[in-house]
Amino acid sequence: MRKPLVAGNWKMHGSHATNAALVGGIATGLARDAQLAAHCDVAIFPTFVHLESVAALAAATPIALGAQDCCAEHGPGAYTGEVAASSLQELGCRYVLVGHSERRALYGESDELVARKFLAAQAAGLVPVLCVGETLAERDRDETHAVVARQLGAVLERAGVAALARAVVAYEPVWAIGTGRTATPEQAQDVHAFVRGRIAALDGNIAGSVRLLYGGSVKASNALELCSMPDVDGGLVGGASLNAEEFVAIVAAAARK
Ligand code: PEP
């Protein structure tokens, strides 16, 4: 059985004070019902500069730590401004996002660069959370499967299907991120089943065990419906992860799977 995962992408939010309150609130919410952490993995993804302090805040809790990006180069080396996956691992990260749509769209990250980040993350012992998803224009042109196949294929080509045994895939339709517009459970399931099918064509066991998260305006009010889909193994949550109560309610929904 796949244990669900709920991952909170804090994006460029947070200060020492707000992070302390947020981690405290999530930890308190999880501690109220031991079943939550028993049935659902929970991870938070603060900014790079807050990783060390958040790691300390989360140390005695079931909350795992992730980073929002990493350098494609293994490092150390002359890559000013970049952060090596090995440094993230040293700080206590278990996960790292690669290929978030904001990185792809705002910073021009190509499929090839994302695949190299995926490899660098795994080489450092991190679990990459590979983000894939189509824009609204691509969906309207009926290209959703083709786009997702291309993004996933770039990683499969370079890392091989075996690498997915140590990774998570997050389907995040770009039109649903931060817009309040969520994919319907059926739309999410359709793409998740497609992704699992692509992996199954290469390795059935890995396809059966890899966790596929849905991301895009996940909230407490829609999490249960989304997570009830057979191929949705949890969520990658942006805005709603900045509110402890809301985030814990999403974890509670995923834990019911
Ligand atoms: C995200 O940041 O990956 C995300 C899905 O954001 P939101 O939940 O706010 O749509």
Side-chain angles (χ1 to χ4, degrees):
M1 243 340 257
R2 299 182 295 269
K3 188 178 183 186
L5 166 65
V6 171
N9 174 14
W10 290 2
K11 309 196 188 197
M12 202 172 72
H13 293 284
S15 65
H16 286 306
T18 61
N19 290 347
L22 189 47
V23 175
I26 297 168
T28 303
L30 295 177
R32 269 200 293 266
D33 181 354
Q35 293 305 308
L36 300 187
H39 293 288
C40 181
D41 286 335
V42 180
I44 51 178
F45 294 66
T47 67
F48 285 136
V49 291
H50 290 120
L51 281 170
E52 194 162 16
S53 55
V54 171
L57 291 165
T61 78
I63 306 168
L65 196 65
Q68 298 173 18
D69 190 23
C70 69
C71 183
E73 307 298 337
H74 291 234
Y79 305 103
T80 303
E82 289 289 290
V83 177
S86 54
S87 303
L88 300 174
Q89 196 272 341
E90 198 179 17
L91 284 181
C93 287
R94 182 179 307 164
Y95 302 98
V96 61
L97 302 183
V98 295
H100 190 280
S101 70
E102 287 154 17
R103 303 289 322 166
R104 292 181 190 262
L106 302 175
Y107 303 100
E109 293 196 4
S110 65
D111 293 336
E112 194 255 333
L113 180 68
V114 172
R116 288 175 50 227
K117 290 186 174 195
F118 182 102
L119 287 166
Q122 286 198 330
L126 298 176
V127 175
V129 179
L130 170 67
C131 303
V132 298
E134 83 288 3
T135 63
L136 188 56
E138 288 163 341
R139 174 163 281 268
D140 287 344
R141 291 197 299 268
D142 210 15
E143 292 172 3
T144 299
H145 286 189
V147 169
V148 169
R150 192 199 72 223
Q151 293 169 335
L152 179 67
V155 169
L156 287 171
E157 217 173 87
R158 289 166 182 83
V161 67
L164 284 185
R166 294 172 288 118
V168 173
V169 180
Y171 168 56
E172 297 207 304
V174 178
W175 47 272
I177 298 178
T179 60
R181 188 175 158 191
T182 317
T184 65
E186 292 73 26
Q187 285 172 323
Q189 171 58 25
D190 169 71
V191 180
H192 284 227
F194 174 74
V195 168
R196 206 178 296 286
R198 301 286 293 194
I199 300 167
L202 300 169
D203 190 308
N205 286 335
I206 290 173
S209 64
V210 65
R211 293 187 289 190
L212 307 182
L213 311 185
Y214 168 78
S217 298
V218 176
K219 310 184 255 298
S221 59
N222 58 26
L224 193 58
E225 247 195 330
L226 286 160
C227 289
S228 69
M229 293 290 118
D231 288 301
V232 176
D233 305 312
L236 177 53
V237 184
S241 72
L242 298 172
N243 178 308
E245 227 175 280
E246 183 85 7
F247 187 65
V248 172
I250 294 169
V251 173
R256 286 171 61 177
K257 255 196 103 73

